[in-house]
Amino acid sequence: MPISAEQRAEIDAQRVAHHTTLRPTVPALESLLYTPFELLDHGFLRVIDYMGDDGAVVQAARVSYGRGTKKVSEDAGLIRYLMRHRHSTPFEMCEIKFHVKLPVFVARQWIRHRMANVNEYSARYSILDREFYLPTPEQVAGQSRSNRQGRADALDADTAARVLDMLRADATRCFDDYETMLDPDGIGLARELARMNLTLNTYTQWYWKTDLHNLMNFIGLRADPHAQYEIRVYADVMRDILRAWVPATADAFEQYRLGAATFSKGMLAVLRRRLAGETVAQSDSGLSKREWEEMHAALGFSAEI
Amino acid sequence: MPISAEQRAEIDAQRVAHHTTLRPTVPALESLLYTPFELLDHGFLRVIDYMGDDGAVVQAARVSYGRGTKKVSEDAGLIRYLMRHRHSTPFEMCEIKFHVKLPVFVARQWIRHRMANVNEYSARYSILDREFYLPTPEQVAGQSRSNRQGRADALDADTAARVLDMLRADATRCFDDYETMLDPDGIGLARELARMNLTLNTYTQWYWKTDLHNLMNFIGLRADPHAQYEIRVYADVMRDILRAWVPATADAFEQYRLGAATFSKGMLAVLRRRLAGETVAQSDSGLSKREWEEMHAALGFSAEI
Amino acid sequence: MPISAEQRAEIDAQRVAHHTTLRPTVPALESLLYTPFELLDHGFLRVIDYMGDDGAVVQAARVSYGRGTKKVSEDAGLIRYLMRHRHSTPFEMCEIKFHVKLPVFVARQWIRHRMANVNEYSARYSILDREFYLPTPEQVAGQSRSNRQGRADALDADTAARVLDMLRADATRCFDDYETMLDPDGIGLARELARMNLTLNTYTQWYWKTDLHNLMNFIGLRADPHAQYEIRVYADVMRDILRAWVPATADAFEQYRLGAATFSKGMLAVLRRRLAGETVAQSDSGLSKREWEEMHAALGFSAEI
Amino acid sequence: MPISAEQRAEIDAQRVAHHTTLRPTVPALESLLYTPFELLDHGFLRVIDYMGDDGAVVQAARVSYGRGTKKVSEDAGLIRYLMRHRHSTPFEMCEIKFHVKLPVFVARQWIRHRMANVNEYSARYSILDREFYLPTPEQVAGQSRSNRQGRADALDADTAARVLDMLRADATRCFDDYETMLDPDGIGLARELARMNLTLNTYTQWYWKTDLHNLMNFIGLRADPHAQYEIRVYADVMRDILRAWVPATADAFEQYRLGAATFSKGMLAVLRRRLAGETVAQSDSGLSKREWEEMHAALGFSAEI
């Protein structure tokens, strides 16, 4: 259980403290504020604070004195235009802050997004909780053969159970020894040293804050089917939060980023020939086999067309 | 007058639109929200939005589940500790957004602060207003002799008047020609070209957003007596806004940053000798004449001590 | 003439000072080093230093101990893969530094690229040269009607001459007064104040350094036909420099970025229908008129297909 | 042994490949290029490439056409001035790239320096080596009582041996199981999953590139006595490299940053009173006990003075 009774009480206290503000406020996001979305076996993600809304994007794009909004349809059209043409600065005018609990190996991927602010729970200063990630059996998957950095289908139930036993036993033993080494009445090892004995599936947590533009970059990369499952679940929740927070931006993002595809110069040439009625085979397409497959995947066709 | 009646009406509309929020809210900053601080002859700075408060700094430093605050005195102590030891990441958890109107030559200094988000009024897309900065006579100062990039005392009244006449006449003529070149029923020159005829004291405006840590960096550099007066007036207002927004952080900032001084290894050696009762002259201090003066200035003594 | 005899001598001195190094070295770029590409009427761009080559991209992607390179064809294939899948970090491992002379209104666009390092000639500290940009007559263009921030065809010769007369006269008068105000034996106004009288076509200069990834972002945005001509000429030269410096990366960049096009979810649906033999009109495409035109432009067809 | 015979051969090949260049070259750094400084038990840091030298700092500060250098003493004086007044942009004009092998828990601290470029060896894509950090017995230290995030003296020999046995046994077992889970003829678990079983002292490696300004920030924070020993050893080597690369900058850095101390407004008031001959006790100093001690530590006095 990721949230203790005491923590729940602190969250509940935040959920009832209403304030009056003149700032742009998004009721759909207010209703999600502070409440954790539970993820993986002990993780969560919750929105702690936010700044701005769809109107703030429009206001910045127009550098206007008031809210800058006109008719809803005109605003949505402007947002679609900005998204399509990668005018990213107006989206930087909104900001969001999350509290996240996540396994260390996921945190190591996440932190690569440099355009963000982070405060992580310090294992030099504090003692970590006995919590480590164990996949569900259906996530215990084999190494992909086609994609060197991906996973294939789930292993059979017995093998998965064997894997989970190993992961559990190793993490448990490492944590036991972590506690033994830390014990102030026993060894009393420095926390900054003892932590090196923990496994990479140990949970950590942090406050993470970024702007709307960089949030979409994160979702674009991490909600992708090629992203590792264990970070994708966080990105998927962010995608839902995006819809609650800035619906017009989220629509444009789905249409022009997540649902879009980029075709290279060579692929465009093939498309042109085909649209003109010509039959084009890979061998005379000028594309490598891999690009040929990527083009068809983007079009939603099998490569054998 | 920087704000037209129409703009004032838009601002007034924002000042009365109260919302309910669960987010941390700062009444003292709410009372300043949207209202322009008028600066220079046509400029202004106003707060458009903000996120977080002193408690958010504490919450991030403690990576806590609730507000993270304890007694006010403990929180202030933690904030002072963070400031003193340059633990800057918790201050990055607060964000503020300004709408600023400023002369182009000031904007060119300001934009050097890269850790910020900006949307500027586009002179490729729109036509600028006939507004340019003219200093007050007491700001029409001579070139400093001691500081190659500073200004000395004000010029005499007649000379200042002559300067102001030149500035006014040149900016006016340039703007007249800008309009002549733009006239769609006349020349119809492209806006992106016509703008090159404007002088650097023409006003522009932008939305500018940054986090609390980078805001303090801005104030630290730009509220400094060596900063150019025309940007310093903006930084001085930000300093007041800081006090309204995050009073504990502002206190620590005044104490450990604005009011502080850094002494080099060599200066520390001199201080040690003096505190031990020794009389030290520049000639046997190991310091250059310039450092010697800087050390005394930091101590608030004249160098002749 | 942008380069004085004295400056030319300094550049010549750099061109003959050969050193021995163990660092990766690119002869084709060495042959361009220090020599200015002259741009516009007084501007230039020259490469001052660089770090890395195509091999450094490959080396970083493979995190290898030696050069990391295999066969040239394999390396080029890896670079194309990285470019296609927007794995940008290996490209950040190369760095380039330029010395650029450019009009202030171009500098104001350029500086928006924040992921770079800049040192600009200071008009607080020094006195600027009497040099301002005047377009060639064929660049004196009217305001575009279809694109609010673009330019249309050149104005007729007489009107262009009238524009150039105005630009020249205003810049000259402003510069004359700048000098009058600065004169230490006359008014002696502070440099930081006098500069505000200059027009936005005055030339400035800076050292500008960025990594290969951000260089390509710059070229992608600024070599685009929608970019203003006066910044595009700089980006076009960078594009040539890119080819000399990192030929495999430049090839991939042309293929997968500059020559590529992104289609939205809705456009992909239209493409699929067409490739399946269906005739699709804008009215039943689900696309707005604007997107319809953008799709056809990307395909190189007129929208009437 | 961190470097295999094959890797050594690759490094040796780089050490003999001399090229001719027109770029600024630093013989003292060339002599260190590519050769690993061995650190901890399996780690290393080596310089892979660099750009610029002390002259490049001066050149950028002066925005000059040639090397920009005058007499060596004037250049050093300018560099000291820039350092003292925190004019950081000229230092951003130099760049350095390292190849580093380091334990994961050190990498997690290191990556917090965001103004850098990183390519890390991917444990999704590749299989890690069986190498994990074990401290030397004298580094097996107890938890500090005065500093919640520091370590105290070394534990006694028997206890240290017990700690090392636990660390070794746990890391070994975790690595054994990692290999068992990965075995393509056995379980065949996906690499991206198997890695979660490794302990935080496992070694990883990366290419890490930053500019001279941010390198000094890194050294300033991580060569500090309060930094964890295991990252400090890397920063200490960087400090030596700094001296070889940019001796004038390194001198100024030691004098005005590493050897300097900052005194708060309140501390300055105490210094002034003391220099004027007054005896000041903590009780009437206006400083907290902690600040009182910090002030004395900075002055190199015990607090009882």
Side-chain angles (χ1 to χ4, degrees):
Chain A
M1 196 196 66
I3 311 287
S4 72
E6 188 188 358
Q7 289 152 2
R8 181 69 68 187
E10 291 193 75
I11 293 167
D12 289 347
Q14 291 180 302
R15 288 284 315 155
V16 296
H18 291 82
H19 308 286
T20 296
T21 187
L22 293 169
R23 293 174 289 170
T25 302
V26 181
L29 190 55
E30 292 279 336
S31 75
L32 301 177
L33 217 55
Y34 303 124
T35 308
F37 289 83
E38 304 199 0
L39 289 164
L40 304 180
D41 49 354
H42 298 285
F44 63 74
L45 181 141
R46 60 193 192 110
V47 181
I48 291 300
D49 206 346
Y50 70 94
M51 171 173 162
D53 58 4
D54 276 328
V57 175
V58 165
Q59 181 190 45
R62 298 202 174 112
V63 193
S64 54
Y65 280 76
R67 287 285 285 146
T69 53
K70 302 190 176 175
K71 282 193 305 185
V72 168
S73 66
E74 281 183 46
D75 286 0
L78 173 56
I79 284 173
R80 280 199 303 271
Y81 176 86
L82 297 171
M83 187 75 70
R84 214 156 65 233
H85 293 277
R86 298 201 168 244
H87 291 275
S88 53
T89 56
F91 297 108
E92 296 175 17
M93 287 289 146
C94 297
E95 195 88 11
I96 194 161
K97 182 162 61 174
F98 298 105
H99 180 194
V100 193
K101 191 167 167 191
L102 71 178
V104 168
F105 71 94
V106 174
R108 299 228 309 130
Q109 292 191 309
W110 192 305
I111 198 76
R112 299 302 312 277
H113 294 261
R114 285 164 292 183
M115 294 297 106
N117 312 106
V118 192
N119 281 277
E120 185 174 355
Y121 193 79
S122 168
R124 284 186 80 194
Y125 189 85
S126 304
I127 297 172
L128 294 181
D129 290 330
R130 180 187 286 269
E131 287 177 325
F132 37 85
Y133 169 61
L134 293 179
T136 57
E138 54 272 22
Q139 287 302 333
V140 180
Q143 173 63 34
S144 166
R145 281 166 207 285
S146 60
N147 178 356
R148 275 204 61 170
Q149 57 179 354
R151 63 173 90 163
D153 294 336
L155 300 177
D156 66 83
D158 286 354
T159 313
R162 208 178 132 207
V163 164
L164 291 171
D165 285 347
M166 271 190 274
L167 292 172
R168 187 181 304 106
D170 287 346
T172 301
R173 199 181 306 101
C174 286
F175 200 89
D176 287 345
D177 287 342
Y178 170 69
E179 287 188 326
T180 301
M181 293 188 281
L182 284 176
D183 181 8
D185 300 322
I187 294 177
L189 186 68
R191 284 185 279 271
E192 66 176 23
L193 287 169
R195 61 168 166 171
M196 81 171 76
N197 202 54
L198 297 174
T199 48
L200 281 159
N201 55 354
T202 307
Y203 275 89
T204 183
Q205 50 178 290
W206 59 31
Y207 276 77
W208 190 77
K209 166 173 156 289
T210 197
D211 64 55
L212 176 53
H213 168 62
N214 282 290
L215 178 70
M216 292 189 290
N217 277 351
F218 187 98
I219 298 173
L221 276 168
R222 304 304 184 178
D224 186 273
H226 292 94
Q228 182 163 355
Y229 169 79
E230 282 78 14
I231 195 167
R232 206 165 64 227
V233 294
Y234 290 86
D236 286 342
V237 166
M238 287 178 182
R239 195 171 167 179
D240 293 339
I241 290 167
L242 193 75
R243 274 189 282 262
W245 180 24
V246 282
T249 299
D251 272 359
F253 178 61
E254 300 278 340
Q255 182 69 224
Y256 302 111
R257 294 281 296 278
L258 290 187
T262 299
F263 295 100
S264 70
K265 196 173 170 180
M267 291 176 188
L268 287 173
V270 172
L271 282 179
R272 269 181 220 112
R273 289 164 66 192
R274 284 200 174 158
L275 287 170
E278 191 181 339
T279 302
V280 186
Q282 189 249 319
S283 54
D284 72 323
S285 69
L287 303 181
S288 71
K289 207 163 170 315
R290 195 164 200 168
E291 285 180 79
W292 184 255
E293 281 160 10
E294 287 175 8
M295 180 181 73
H296 285 92
L299 288 167
F301 296 146
S302 69
E304 286 69 43
I305 187 173
Chain B
M1 195 195 65
I3 311 287
S4 72
E6 187 188 358
Q7 288 151 3
R8 181 70 67 188
E10 292 193 74
I11 292 166
D12 289 347
Q14 291 180 303
R15 289 283 317 154
V16 296
H18 292 81
H19 307 287
T20 297
T21 187
L22 293 169
R23 294 174 289 170
T25 302
V26 181
L29 190 55
E30 293 278 336
S31 76
L32 302 177
L33 217 55
Y34 304 124
T35 307
F37 289 83
E38 305 199 359
L39 290 164
L40 305 179
D41 48 354
H42 299 284
F44 63 74
L45 179 142
R46 61 194 191 110
V47 181
I48 292 300
D49 207 346
Y50 68 95
M51 172 173 162
D53 57 4
D54 277 327
V57 175
V58 165
Q59 181 190 45
R62 298 202 175 112
V63 193
S64 54
Y65 280 75
R67 288 286 285 147
T69 52
K70 302 190 176 175
K71 282 194 305 186
V72 168
S73 65
E74 282 183 45
D75 286 358
L78 173 56
I79 284 173
R80 279 200 304 271
Y81 176 86
L82 297 170
M83 187 75 70
R84 212 156 67 233
H85 294 277
R86 296 201 170 244
H87 290 276
S88 53
T89 57
F91 297 107
E92 296 176 16
M93 287 289 146
C94 297
E95 195 87 12
I96 194 161
K97 183 163 61 175
F98 298 105
H99 180 192
V100 192
K101 191 167 167 189
L102 70 177
V104 168
F105 72 94
V106 174
R108 299 226 311 129
Q109 292 191 308
W110 192 306
I111 198 77
R112 299 302 311 276
H113 295 260
R114 286 164 291 184
M115 294 298 105
N117 312 106
V118 191
N119 281 278
E120 185 174 356
Y121 193 79
S122 168
R124 284 186 80 194
Y125 190 85
S126 303
I127 298 171
L128 293 181
D129 290 331
R130 181 187 287 269
E131 286 178 324
F132 38 84
Y133 169 62
L134 293 180
T136 56
E138 53 273 24
Q139 286 301 333
V140 180
Q143 174 63 35
S144 166
R145 280 166 210 285
S146 60
N147 178 355
R148 274 203 62 169
Q149 56 178 356
R151 62 173 88 163
D153 294 335
L155 301 177
D156 66 83
D158 285 354
T159 313
R162 207 179 133 206
V163 165
L164 291 171
D165 284 348
M166 270 190 273
L167 292 172
R168 187 182 302 107
D170 287 346
T172 301
R173 199 182 305 102
C174 285
F175 200 89
D176 287 345
D177 286 342
Y178 170 68
E179 287 189 325
T180 301
M181 292 188 280
L182 284 176
D183 181 7
D185 301 323
I187 293 176
L189 186 68
R191 285 186 280 268
E192 67 177 23
L193 288 168
R195 62 169 166 169
M196 81 172 77
N197 202 55
L198 297 173
T199 47
L200 281 160
N201 55 355
T202 307
Y203 275 89
T204 184
Q205 51 178 289
W206 59 32
Y207 276 76
W208 190 76
K209 167 174 156 286
T210 197
D211 63 55
L212 175 54
H213 168 63
N214 282 290
L215 178 69
M216 291 189 291
N217 277 351
F218 187 98
I219 298 173
L221 276 168
R222 304 304 183 179
D224 186 273
H226 292 95
Q228 182 163 354
Y229 168 79
E230 283 77 14
I231 196 166
R232 205 165 64 227
V233 294
Y234 290 85
D236 285 343
V237 167
M238 286 179 184
R239 195 171 166 179
D240 292 338
I241 289 168
L242 193 76
R243 275 190 281 262
W245 180 23
V246 281
T249 298
D251 271 358
F253 178 62
E254 300 278 339
Q255 182 69 224
Y256 302 112
R257 294 281 296 278
L258 290 187
T262 298
F263 295 100
S264 68
K265 196 172 169 179
M267 291 177 189
L268 287 173
V270 171
L271 281 180
R272 268 182 221 112
R273 289 165 65 192
R274 284 200 174 158
L275 288 170
E278 189 179 342
T279 301
V280 186
Q282 189 249 318
S283 54
D284 72 323
S285 69
L287 303 180
S288 71
K289 206 163 171 314
R290 195 165 200 167
E291 286 180 78
W292 184 254
E293 281 160 10
E294 287 175 8
M295 181 182 72
H296 285 91
L299 288 168
F301 296 147
S302 69
E304 285 70 42
I305 187 173
Chain C
M1 196 197 65
I3 311 287
S4 72
E6 187 189 358
Q7 288 153 2
R8 180 69 67 187
E10 292 193 74
I11 292 166
D12 289 346
Q14 291 180 302
R15 288 285 316 156
V16 296
H18 290 83
H19 307 286
T20 296
T21 187
L22 293 169
R23 293 173 290 170
T25 302
V26 182
L29 190 55
E30 292 279 336
S31 76
L32 302 177
L33 217 55
Y34 303 125
T35 308
F37 289 84
E38 304 199 1
L39 289 165
L40 303 179
D41 48 354
H42 298 284
F44 63 74
L45 179 142
R46 60 192 193 111
V47 181
I48 291 300
D49 206 345
Y50 70 95
M51 171 174 164
D53 58 3
D54 277 328
V57 175
V58 165
Q59 182 190 45
R62 298 203 175 112
V63 193
S64 53
Y65 280 76
R67 287 284 284 144
T69 52
K70 304 190 177 175
K71 283 193 305 186
V72 168
S73 65
E74 281 183 47
D75 286 0
L78 174 56
I79 284 174
R80 280 200 303 272
Y81 176 86
L82 297 170
M83 187 75 71
R84 214 155 68 233
H85 293 277
R86 297 200 170 245
H87 290 273
S88 53
T89 57
F91 298 107
E92 295 175 16
M93 286 290 146
C94 298
E95 194 88 11
I96 193 161
K97 182 162 61 175
F98 299 105
H99 180 192
V100 192
K101 191 168 167 189
L102 70 178
V104 168
F105 72 93
V106 174
R108 300 230 306 130
Q109 292 191 309
W110 192 306
I111 198 77
R112 300 302 311 277
H113 295 261
R114 285 163 292 183
M115 294 299 104
N117 312 107
V118 191
N119 281 277
E120 186 174 355
Y121 193 80
S122 168
R124 285 186 80 192
Y125 189 85
S126 304
I127 297 172
L128 293 181
D129 291 331
R130 180 187 288 269
E131 286 177 323
F132 38 83
Y133 169 63
L134 292 180
T136 57
E138 53 273 24
Q139 287 300 333
V140 180
Q143 173 65 33
S144 167
R145 280 166 209 286
S146 60
N147 178 355
R148 274 203 63 169
Q149 57 178 356
R151 62 174 89 164
D153 294 335
L155 300 178
D156 66 84
D158 286 356
T159 313
R162 210 180 131 206
V163 164
L164 290 171
D165 285 347
M166 271 190 273
L167 291 173
R168 186 181 304 106
D170 286 347
T172 301
R173 199 181 305 101
C174 284
F175 200 89
D176 287 345
D177 286 343
Y178 171 68
E179 287 189 324
T180 302
M181 292 188 281
L182 284 175
D183 181 7
D185 301 322
I187 293 177
L189 187 67
R191 285 186 279 270
E192 67 177 24
L193 287 169
R195 62 169 166 169
M196 82 172 76
N197 202 54
L198 297 173
T199 47
L200 281 159
N201 54 356
T202 307
Y203 275 89
T204 184
Q205 51 178 290
W206 59 33
Y207 276 76
W208 189 78
K209 167 173 156 287
T210 197
D211 64 55
L212 175 53
H213 168 64
N214 282 290
L215 178 69
M216 292 189 289
N217 277 351
F218 187 97
I219 298 173
L221 276 168
R222 304 303 183 179
D224 186 273
H226 292 95
Q228 182 163 355
Y229 168 80
E230 283 77 15
I231 194 166
R232 206 166 63 228
V233 294
Y234 290 86
D236 285 342
V237 167
M238 286 178 183
R239 196 171 165 178
D240 293 338
I241 290 167
L242 192 75
R243 274 189 282 261
W245 180 24
V246 281
T249 299
D251 272 359
F253 179 61
E254 300 278 339
Q255 182 69 223
Y256 302 111
R257 293 282 296 278
L258 291 187
T262 298
F263 294 99
S264 69
K265 196 173 171 181
M267 291 177 189
L268 287 173
V270 172
L271 280 180
R272 270 182 221 112
R273 289 165 65 191
R274 284 201 172 157
L275 288 169
E278 191 180 340
T279 302
V280 185
Q282 188 250 318
S283 54
D284 71 324
S285 69
L287 303 180
S288 71
K289 207 161 171 315
R290 196 164 201 168
E291 286 180 78
W292 184 253
E293 282 160 10
E294 288 175 7
M295 181 181 72
H296 285 91
L299 287 167
F301 296 147
S302 69
E304 286 69 44
I305 185 173
Chain D
M1 195 195 66
I3 311 288
S4 72
E6 187 189 359
Q7 289 152 1
R8 180 70 66 188
E10 291 193 75
I11 292 166
D12 290 345
Q14 291 181 303
R15 288 282 318 153
V16 296
H18 292 81
H19 308 287
T20 295
T21 186
L22 294 168
R23 292 173 290 169
T25 302
V26 181
L29 190 56
E30 291 280 335
S31 76
L32 302 177
L33 217 55
Y34 304 124
T35 308
F37 289 84
E38 305 199 0
L39 290 163
L40 304 180
D41 48 355
H42 298 283
F44 64 74
L45 179 141
R46 61 194 192 108
V47 181
I48 291 301
D49 207 346
Y50 69 95
M51 171 173 162
D53 58 4
D54 276 329
V57 175
V58 165
Q59 182 190 46
R62 297 202 176 113
V63 193
S64 55
Y65 280 76
R67 287 285 285 144
T69 52
K70 303 190 176 175
K71 283 193 303 187
V72 168
S73 65
E74 281 183 47
D75 286 359
L78 174 56
I79 284 173
R80 280 199 303 272
Y81 176 86
L82 297 170
M83 187 76 70
R84 212 156 67 233
H85 294 277
R86 298 202 169 241
H87 290 276
S88 53
T89 57
F91 298 108
E92 296 176 17
M93 286 290 147
C94 297
E95 194 88 10
I96 194 161
K97 183 163 60 176
F98 298 105
H99 181 193
V100 193
K101 191 168 168 190
L102 70 178
V104 168
F105 72 94
V106 174
R108 299 228 310 129
Q109 291 191 310
W110 192 307
I111 198 76
R112 298 302 311 277
H113 294 261
R114 286 164 291 183
M115 294 297 105
N117 312 108
V118 191
N119 281 276
E120 185 175 356
Y121 192 79
S122 168
R124 284 187 81 194
Y125 189 84
S126 304
I127 296 172
L128 294 180
D129 291 330
R130 180 188 287 268
E131 287 177 324
F132 37 84
Y133 169 62
L134 292 180
T136 56
E138 54 272 24
Q139 287 302 331
V140 180
Q143 173 63 35
S144 166
R145 281 167 207 285
S146 60
N147 178 356
R148 275 204 61 168
Q149 55 179 355
R151 61 174 90 163
D153 295 335
L155 300 178
D156 66 84
D158 285 355
T159 313
R162 207 179 133 208
V163 164
L164 291 171
D165 284 348
M166 270 190 273
L167 292 172
R168 187 182 303 105
D170 286 346
T172 301
R173 199 181 306 103
C174 284
F175 200 88
D176 287 345
D177 286 343
Y178 171 68
E179 287 189 326
T180 300
M181 292 188 279
L182 284 176
D183 181 7
D185 301 322
I187 293 177
L189 187 68
R191 285 185 279 270
E192 67 177 23
L193 287 169
R195 62 168 166 170
M196 81 172 77
N197 202 54
L198 298 172
T199 48
L200 280 160
N201 54 355
T202 307
Y203 274 90
T204 183
Q205 50 179 291
W206 58 33
Y207 275 76
W208 190 76
K209 167 174 157 285
T210 197
D211 63 56
L212 175 53
H213 168 63
N214 282 290
L215 178 70
M216 291 189 290
N217 277 351
F218 188 97
I219 298 173
L221 276 167
R222 305 303 183 179
D224 186 273
H226 292 95
Q228 181 162 355
Y229 168 79
E230 283 78 15
I231 196 166
R232 205 165 64 227
V233 293
Y234 290 86
D236 285 342
V237 167
M238 286 179 183
R239 196 170 166 179
D240 293 338
I241 290 168
L242 193 76
R243 274 189 282 261
W245 179 25
V246 282
T249 299
D251 271 359
F253 178 61
E254 299 278 341
Q255 181 69 224
Y256 302 111
R257 295 281 297 278
L258 290 188
T262 299
F263 295 99
S264 68
K265 197 174 169 180
M267 291 176 188
L268 287 173
V270 171
L271 281 180
R272 269 182 221 113
R273 289 165 65 191
R274 285 202 173 156
L275 287 170
E278 189 180 341
T279 301
V280 186
Q282 189 250 318
S283 54
D284 72 323
S285 69
L287 302 180
S288 71
K289 207 161 171 315
R290 195 163 200 169
E291 287 181 79
W292 184 255
E293 282 160 10
E294 288 175 7
M295 181 182 72
H296 285 91
L299 288 167
F301 296 147
S302 69
E304 285 69 44
I305 186 170

